[in-house]
Each structure stands twice: as C-alpha cells, then as structure tokens.
Amino acid sequence: ESFSFSSFKEVESACWYNQGLNFATCHSNGSYALWDTKQQSNIVEIEKIPYGPYPCTAMTNICVKIMRK
C-alpha cells in the first residue's frame, strides 16, 4: 500500500520515526513538519519555523528522537 504526501515548501531532508508510522521533513524556508502516515488527507501534524516568524535559512537535516517517560 502506498500513499503520497504534499508539501508546498521545498523539502530539504526527511526522516522516518515511530517505527515507520510517522515522518518528519525540513524545508528550504527554515520550517519543519511532522507527518502522520495514518492521515490519508495529507494533513501535517505539526509545522513550525523555530527560529522566527519569517522564512530564514534552510534546515538541511532533520532527526527525530522520541522521549519516553
């Protein structure tokens, strides 16, 4: 089974996490997004620009680490 996900920003890097159930992308405008593969409507779970409200330097790499209690 395959799905496609759409982003209106240029993707610089992607990373799978949570045993392949989710993935993260970082973009050329300095934002990153966390995607849920269970969402078939291509909805981004979270999207943030961590270094300001305006586009900035591209994020070229992303790595997600899950913190468990």
Side-chain angles (χ1 to χ4, degrees), residues 1-58:
E1 188 171 354
S2 67
F3 298 97
S4 64
F5 293 84
S6 303
S7 175
F8 293 106
K9 295 157 193 76
E10 185 176 329
V11 174
E12 294 285 324
S13 181
C15 164
W16 288 97
Y17 68 99
N18 196 19
Q19 298 178 351
L21 298 175
N22 303 90
F23 66 97
T25 55
C26 60
H27 309 109
S28 60
N29 71 343
S31 67
Y32 70 91
L34 303 178
W35 302 76
D36 185 350
T37 58
K38 295 177 187 173
Q39 298 286 334
Q40 295 181 12
S41 58
N42 295 344
I43 297 174
V44 175
E45 183 181 313
I46 297 173
E47 185 173 13
K48 294 185 179 181
I49 300 176
Y51 300 113
Y54 306 106
C56 61
T57 304

